[in-house]
Amino acid sequence: MEIHEKIGFGAALILTALLAGQDIREKRISLFVIVLSGSIALLYLAAGERLELVSLCFRILPGALLLFTALLSEEKIGYGDGAAVLVLGLWTSGIFCLLTVSIGLLLAGIYGTLLLLSGKKNRRIPFMPFLLTAMEVMLIYV
């Protein structure tokens, strides 16, 4: 892994950790933090001459799909989650982000199933902690 990739993954991990804490405490995600991080990610990509249109589209695809899902599901998945995943894709890569989201959704699904089995229905589940766990799994084992 090259140094620019390590910096991107480190920034993504810090961002996800900040958003996970906020998502647990407040059940919301700061748009300011997401926009700021996304702007810095774009500047970082431009400075490293890695700002190609096709690559950029692939990086934001998982987040765009999650935002579209939030729209279709009447925000059962939050817009903040989709925006955060979009920015994570900018910091990392499309495939890493897609795999991380897949693992995060699997973990959130298992947790939701456990809640249903224990009789706790209609609870909001913060997604960012599951995404953080999935990122750590991906960084350690993949």
Side-chain angles (χ1 to χ4, degrees), residues 97-115:
C97 192
L98 187 63
L99 292 171
T100 301
V101 169
S102 297
I103 294 169
L105 288 171
L106 176 68
L107 294 172
I110 292 169
Y111 180 72
T113 301
L114 293 174
L115 283 177

PDB file of all heavy atoms in Angstrom, residues 97-115:
ATOM      1  N   CYS A  97     -14.979   0.572  -0.469  1.00  0.00           N
ATOM      2  CA  CYS A  97     -16.185   1.148   0.121  1.00  0.00           C
ATOM      3  C   CYS A  97     -17.374   0.208  -0.047  1.00  0.00           C
ATOM      4  O   CYS A  97     -18.147   0.005   0.889  1.00  0.00           O
ATOM      5  CB  CYS A  97     -16.451   2.503  -0.535  1.00  0.00           C
ATOM      6  SG  CYS A  97     -17.677   3.486   0.312  1.00  0.00           S
ATOM      7  N   LEU A  98     -17.514  -0.389  -1.217  1.00  0.00           N
ATOM      8  CA  LEU A  98     -18.613  -1.318  -1.476  1.00  0.00           C
ATOM      9  C   LEU A  98     -18.544  -2.540  -0.558  1.00  0.00           C
ATOM     10  O   LEU A  98     -19.551  -2.948   0.035  1.00  0.00           O
ATOM     11  CB  LEU A  98     -18.596  -1.753  -2.940  1.00  0.00           C
ATOM     12  CG  LEU A  98     -19.764  -2.597  -3.417  1.00  0.00           C
ATOM     13  CD1 LEU A  98     -21.065  -1.822  -3.304  1.00  0.00           C
ATOM     14  CD2 LEU A  98     -19.534  -3.028  -4.847  1.00  0.00           C
ATOM     15  N   LEU A  99     -17.362  -3.098  -0.404  1.00  0.00           N
ATOM     16  CA  LEU A  99     -17.202  -4.247   0.491  1.00  0.00           C
ATOM     17  C   LEU A  99     -17.450  -3.858   1.948  1.00  0.00           C
ATOM     18  O   LEU A  99     -18.076  -4.608   2.708  1.00  0.00           O
ATOM     19  CB  LEU A  99     -15.812  -4.855   0.328  1.00  0.00           C
ATOM     20  CG  LEU A  99     -15.547  -5.544  -1.010  1.00  0.00           C
ATOM     21  CD1 LEU A  99     -14.072  -5.922  -1.136  1.00  0.00           C
ATOM     22  CD2 LEU A  99     -16.433  -6.748  -1.178  1.00  0.00           C
ATOM     23  N   THR A 100     -16.969  -2.683   2.335  1.00  0.00           N
ATOM     24  CA  THR A 100     -17.174  -2.211   3.708  1.00  0.00           C
ATOM     25  C   THR A 100     -18.652  -2.003   3.997  1.00  0.00           C
ATOM     26  O   THR A 100     -19.150  -2.412   5.048  1.00  0.00           O
ATOM     27  CB  THR A 100     -16.388  -0.904   3.942  1.00  0.00           C
ATOM     28  OG1 THR A 100     -14.998  -1.146   3.701  1.00  0.00           O
ATOM     29  CG2 THR A 100     -16.569  -0.383   5.355  1.00  0.00           C
ATOM     30  N   VAL A 101     -19.365  -1.380   3.064  1.00  0.00           N
ATOM     31  CA  VAL A 101     -20.806  -1.172   3.252  1.00  0.00           C
ATOM     32  C   VAL A 101     -21.536  -2.518   3.324  1.00  0.00           C
ATOM     33  O   VAL A 101     -22.432  -2.696   4.146  1.00  0.00           O
ATOM     34  CB  VAL A 101     -21.384  -0.280   2.128  1.00  0.00           C
ATOM     35  CG1 VAL A 101     -22.908  -0.273   2.140  1.00  0.00           C
ATOM     36  CG2 VAL A 101     -20.858   1.131   2.254  1.00  0.00           C
ATOM     37  N   SER A 102     -21.131  -3.451   2.497  1.00  0.00           N
ATOM     38  CA  SER A 102     -21.768  -4.779   2.509  1.00  0.00           C
ATOM     39  C   SER A 102     -21.591  -5.462   3.867  1.00  0.00           C
ATOM     40  O   SER A 102     -22.546  -6.006   4.425  1.00  0.00           O
ATOM     41  CB  SER A 102     -21.174  -5.665   1.406  1.00  0.00           C
ATOM     42  OG  SER A 102     -21.433  -5.111   0.150  1.00  0.00           O
ATOM     43  N   ILE A 103     -20.379  -5.418   4.397  1.00  0.00           N
ATOM     44  CA  ILE A 103     -20.132  -6.013   5.719  1.00  0.00           C
ATOM     45  C   ILE A 103     -20.907  -5.256   6.791  1.00  0.00           C
ATOM     46  O   ILE A 103     -21.499  -5.860   7.690  1.00  0.00           O
ATOM     47  CB  ILE A 103     -18.619  -6.044   6.030  1.00  0.00           C
ATOM     48  CG1 ILE A 103     -17.908  -7.003   5.076  1.00  0.00           C
ATOM     49  CG2 ILE A 103     -18.365  -6.446   7.482  1.00  0.00           C
ATOM     50  CD1 ILE A 103     -16.392  -6.911   5.137  1.00  0.00           C
ATOM     51  N   GLY A 104     -20.919  -3.919   6.698  1.00  0.00           N
ATOM     52  CA  GLY A 104     -21.663  -3.107   7.667  1.00  0.00           C
ATOM     53  C   GLY A 104     -23.147  -3.415   7.654  1.00  0.00           C
ATOM     54  O   GLY A 104     -23.785  -3.525   8.706  1.00  0.00           O
ATOM     55  N   LEU A 105     -23.716  -3.577   6.456  1.00  0.00           N
ATOM     56  CA  LEU A 105     -25.137  -3.921   6.359  1.00  0.00           C
ATOM     57  C   LEU A 105     -25.416  -5.315   6.920  1.00  0.00           C
ATOM     58  O   LEU A 105     -26.442  -5.538   7.572  1.00  0.00           O
ATOM     59  CB  LEU A 105     -25.603  -3.827   4.906  1.00  0.00           C
ATOM     60  CG  LEU A 105     -25.741  -2.414   4.340  1.00  0.00           C
ATOM     61  CD1 LEU A 105     -25.996  -2.459   2.844  1.00  0.00           C
ATOM     62  CD2 LEU A 105     -26.838  -1.645   5.057  1.00  0.00           C
ATOM     63  N   LEU A 106     -24.504  -6.239   6.678  1.00  0.00           N
ATOM     64  CA  LEU A 106     -24.642  -7.586   7.236  1.00  0.00           C
ATOM     65  C   LEU A 106     -24.638  -7.533   8.764  1.00  0.00           C
ATOM     66  O   LEU A 106     -25.496  -8.141   9.420  1.00  0.00           O
ATOM     67  CB  LEU A 106     -23.522  -8.491   6.725  1.00  0.00           C
ATOM     68  CG  LEU A 106     -23.498  -9.910   7.298  1.00  0.00           C
ATOM     69  CD1 LEU A 106     -24.699 -10.697   6.800  1.00  0.00           C
ATOM     70  CD2 LEU A 106     -22.211 -10.599   6.923  1.00  0.00           C
ATOM     71  N   LEU A 107     -23.693  -6.794   9.335  1.00  0.00           N
ATOM     72  CA  LEU A 107     -23.612  -6.673  10.792  1.00  0.00           C
ATOM     73  C   LEU A 107     -24.851  -5.990  11.362  1.00  0.00           C
ATOM     74  O   LEU A 107     -25.398  -6.430  12.384  1.00  0.00           O
ATOM     75  CB  LEU A 107     -22.352  -5.903  11.195  1.00  0.00           C
ATOM     76  CG  LEU A 107     -21.014  -6.571  10.889  1.00  0.00           C
ATOM     77  CD1 LEU A 107     -19.863  -5.614  11.174  1.00  0.00           C
ATOM     78  CD2 LEU A 107     -20.871  -7.856  11.675  1.00  0.00           C
ATOM     79  N   ALA A 108     -25.317  -4.926  10.697  1.00  0.00           N
ATOM     80  CA  ALA A 108     -26.520  -4.227  11.158  1.00  0.00           C
ATOM     81  C   ALA A 108     -27.738  -5.138  11.046  1.00  0.00           C
ATOM     82  O   ALA A 108     -28.626  -5.117  11.916  1.00  0.00           O
ATOM     83  CB  ALA A 108     -26.728  -2.953  10.352  1.00  0.00           C
ATOM     84  N   GLY A 109     -27.789  -5.962   9.999  1.00  0.00           N
ATOM     85  CA  GLY A 109     -28.891  -6.909   9.837  1.00  0.00           C
ATOM     86  C   GLY A 109     -28.916  -7.959  10.937  1.00  0.00           C
ATOM     87  O   GLY A 109     -29.983  -8.310  11.454  1.00  0.00           O
ATOM     88  N   ILE A 110     -27.745  -8.456  11.293  1.00  0.00           N
ATOM     89  CA  ILE A 110     -27.653  -9.431  12.397  1.00  0.00           C
ATOM     90  C   ILE A 110     -28.117  -8.788  13.697  1.00  0.00           C
ATOM     91  O   ILE A 110     -28.900  -9.378  14.450  1.00  0.00           O
ATOM     92  CB  ILE A 110     -26.214  -9.978  12.522  1.00  0.00           C
ATOM     93  CG1 ILE A 110     -25.870 -10.846  11.311  1.00  0.00           C
ATOM     94  CG2 ILE A 110     -26.034 -10.759  13.823  1.00  0.00           C
ATOM     95  CD1 ILE A 110     -24.404 -11.210  11.206  1.00  0.00           C
ATOM     96  N   TYR A 111     -27.657  -7.567  13.954  1.00  0.00           N
ATOM     97  CA  TYR A 111     -28.057  -6.854  15.170  1.00  0.00           C
ATOM     98  C   TYR A 111     -29.569  -6.607  15.178  1.00  0.00           C
ATOM     99  O   TYR A 111     -30.238  -6.803  16.202  1.00  0.00           O
ATOM    100  CB  TYR A 111     -27.294  -5.532  15.273  1.00  0.00           C
ATOM    101  CG  TYR A 111     -27.635  -4.719  16.496  1.00  0.00           C
ATOM    102  CD1 TYR A 111     -27.201  -5.116  17.755  1.00  0.00           C
ATOM    103  CD2 TYR A 111     -28.402  -3.569  16.397  1.00  0.00           C
ATOM    104  CE1 TYR A 111     -27.521  -4.373  18.880  1.00  0.00           C
ATOM    105  CE2 TYR A 111     -28.722  -2.814  17.510  1.00  0.00           C
ATOM    106  CZ  TYR A 111     -28.276  -3.223  18.749  1.00  0.00           C
ATOM    107  OH  TYR A 111     -28.594  -2.490  19.864  1.00  0.00           O
ATOM    108  N   GLY A 112     -30.122  -6.191  14.027  1.00  0.00           N
ATOM    109  CA  GLY A 112     -31.563  -5.960  13.928  1.00  0.00           C
ATOM    110  C   GLY A 112     -32.364  -7.229  14.157  1.00  0.00           C
ATOM    111  O   GLY A 112     -33.404  -7.205  14.815  1.00  0.00           O
ATOM    112  N   THR A 113     -31.868  -8.330  13.639  1.00  0.00           N
ATOM    113  CA  THR A 113     -32.530  -9.618  13.849  1.00  0.00           C
ATOM    114  C   THR A 113     -32.530  -9.984  15.327  1.00  0.00           C
ATOM    115  O   THR A 113     -33.552 -10.448  15.869  1.00  0.00           O
ATOM    116  CB  THR A 113     -31.832 -10.723  13.024  1.00  0.00           C
ATOM    117  OG1 THR A 113     -31.879 -10.363  11.647  1.00  0.00           O
ATOM    118  CG2 THR A 113     -32.502 -12.067  13.231  1.00  0.00           C
ATOM    119  N   LEU A 114     -31.400  -9.772  15.987  1.00  0.00           N
ATOM    120  CA  LEU A 114     -31.324 -10.041  17.423  1.00  0.00           C
ATOM    121  C   LEU A 114     -32.297  -9.161  18.207  1.00  0.00           C
ATOM    122  O   LEU A 114     -32.915  -9.623  19.176  1.00  0.00           O
ATOM    123  CB  LEU A 114     -29.897  -9.864  17.927  1.00  0.00           C
ATOM    124  CG  LEU A 114     -28.877 -10.883  17.413  1.00  0.00           C
ATOM    125  CD1 LEU A 114     -27.467 -10.504  17.863  1.00  0.00           C
ATOM    126  CD2 LEU A 114     -29.239 -12.281  17.889  1.00  0.00           C
ATOM    127  N   LEU A 115     -32.429  -7.909  17.798  1.00  0.00           N
ATOM    128  CA  LEU A 115     -33.399  -7.021  18.455  1.00  0.00           C
ATOM    129  C   LEU A 115     -34.824  -7.537  18.264  1.00  0.00           C
ATOM    130  O   LEU A 115     -35.621  -7.534  19.216  1.00  0.00           O
ATOM    131  CB  LEU A 115     -33.289  -5.598  17.905  1.00  0.00           C
ATOM    132  CG  LEU A 115     -32.118  -4.754  18.389  1.00  0.00           C
ATOM    133  CD1 LEU A 115     -32.114  -3.399  17.690  1.00  0.00           C
ATOM    134  CD2 LEU A 115     -32.168  -4.559  19.898  1.00  0.00           C
TER     135      LEU A 115
END
